[in-house]
């Protein structure tokens, strides 16, 4: 009984508990995941359109991008963005005389690195969704006088979203879990906050289980949200 009370005290909020730190870490994990997910969708859409285009250069760049992302470990990409990009930008800033010291913000580094990884996988999901739409619909839209941009937003995009949602939902769960990797560059998200709490209290089992539980809750809620979106878009498609 005493151990349970002690655990509840450690997980509580206030001076004696670590609940505040864990909550802030969880919120940062969600913020990083959302930001990286948006970046990944933008890169993925660009990559998908490039792969489906008739320009050989665009196809080559998109294929090279997805191949590299699939081949290199995600943590290595994080290190490359955080350290290599920092050095490159620092050199440019120093050369122009704008500042003598420069360091990429941990949040920006985490967002870019995870977003680049997500973009590689989103490319294939979105490419498959676009390719599944009958080509005759785009040809009919062009025959009616619609521009390529109008065709994409009025014809392709509404049909692409329901087809891509299952895959995009899985990618969201992946980026949510991979947000823990940014703890390796010193960014205090949920895993690093829990690790600090465990190290300070020696209650490793308690805090690591607490971290796992929080991720499980966030993943479950996310799965429910995407299931709702898939259901609603499927009903809209049937009505159309």
């Amino acid at each position: 009984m005493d151990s349970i009370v002690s655990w509840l005290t450690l997980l509580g909020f206030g001076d004696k508990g670590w609940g505040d730190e864990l909550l802030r870490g969880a919120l940062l994990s969600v913020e990083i995941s959302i930001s990286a997910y948006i970046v990944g969708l933008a890169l993925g859409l660009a990559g998908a359109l490039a792969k489906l285009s008739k320009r050989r250069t665009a196809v080559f760049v998109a294929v090279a991008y997805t191949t590299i992302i699939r081949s290199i470990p995600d943590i290595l990409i994080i290190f490359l963005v955080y350290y290599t990009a920092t050095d490159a930008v620092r050199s440019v800033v120093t050369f122009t005389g704008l500042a003598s010291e420069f360091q990429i913000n941990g949040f920006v580094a985490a967002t870019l690195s995870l977003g680049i990884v997500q973009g590689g996988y989103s490319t294939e999901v979105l490419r498959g969704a676009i390719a599944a739409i009958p080509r005759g619909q785009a040809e009919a839209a062009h025959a009616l006088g619609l521009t390529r941009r109008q065709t994409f937003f009025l014809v392709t995009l509404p049909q692409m979203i329901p087809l891509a949602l299952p895959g995009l939902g899985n990618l969201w769960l992946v980026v949510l879990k991979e947000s823990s990797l940014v703890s390796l560059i010193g960014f205090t998200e949920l895993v690093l906050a829990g690790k600090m709490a465990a190290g300070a209290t020696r209650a490793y089992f308690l805090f690591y289980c607490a971290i796992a539980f929080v991720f499980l809750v966030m993943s479950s809620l996310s799965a429910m949200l995407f299931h709702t979106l898939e259901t609603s878009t499927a009903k809209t498609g049937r009505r159309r």
Side-chain angles (χ1 to χ4, degrees):
M1 187 67 179
D2 293 338
S3 61
I4 296 177
V5 174
S6 176
W7 283 7
L8 293 177
T9 301
L10 291 175
L11 293 174
F13 296 88
D15 297 335
K16 296 182 179 180
W18 289 83
D20 308 80
E21 288 76 6
L22 293 178
L23 178 60
R24 283 195 294 269
L27 291 176
L28 282 174
S29 294
V30 173
E31 291 175 2
I32 292 173
S33 300
I34 293 175
S35 301
Y37 192 67
I38 293 174
V39 172
L41 286 178
L43 293 175
L45 182 58
L49 294 176
K51 278 195 170 185
L52 294 172
S53 70
K54 297 180 181 179
R55 298 179 180 178
R56 293 184 178 181
T57 302
V59 174
F60 174 79
V61 172
V63 171
Y65 169 53
T66 54
T67 301
I68 291 173
I69 293 301
R70 290 178 172 183
S71 304
I72 299 178
D74 297 346
I75 187 59
L76 182 56
I77 295 177
I78 293 176
F79 286 154
L80 285 172
V81 172
Y82 185 70
Y83 294 107
T84 306
T86 298
D87 292 339
V89 175
R90 184 189 296 115
S91 299
V92 174
V93 171
T94 304
F95 178 77
T96 56
L98 297 176
S100 58
E101 290 292 334
F102 181 84
Q103 185 74 20
I104 290 183
N105 180 271
F107 185 89
V108 175
T111 298
L112 289 178
S113 55
L114 291 179
I116 290 172
V117 173
Q118 282 292 302
Y121 296 113
S122 297
T123 295
E124 292 304 316
V125 173
L126 296 177
R127 184 197 61 80
I130 295 174
I133 301 173
R135 185 174 298 180
Q137 297 194 16
E139 295 174 352
H142 292 155
L144 292 174
L146 272 67
T147 64
R148 288 185 177 181
R149 179 175 298 181
Q150 290 174 328
T151 301
F152 177 76
F153 284 103
L154 298 178
V155 179
T156 304
L157 186 62
Q159 298 180 78
M160 178 189 72
I161 292 177
L163 297 173
L165 268 178
L168 295 179
N170 290 331
L171 290 181
W172 164 253
L173 296 179
V174 171
V175 75
L176 185 62
K177 292 189 296 182
E178 288 189 342
S179 64
S180 62
L181 296 177
V182 301
S183 63
L184 297 176
I185 59 175
F187 198 69
T188 312
E189 43 66 67
L190 178 58
V191 172
L192 184 55
K195 183 179 179 181
M196 293 169 60
T201 61
R202 295 291 187 266
Y204 295 101
F205 179 78
L206 171 65
F207 283 105
Y208 288 146
C209 285
I211 294 171
F213 177 76
V214 173
F215 271 110
L216 178 61
V217 171
M218 293 192 296
S219 298
S220 299
L221 292 176
S222 299
M224 293 172 58
L225 175 61
F226 273 94
H227 177 71
T228 302
L229 290 175
E230 290 176 29
T231 303
S232 61
T233 53
K235 290 180 179 179
T236 302
R238 285 195 294 269
R239 285 198 296 268
R240 289 179 179 175

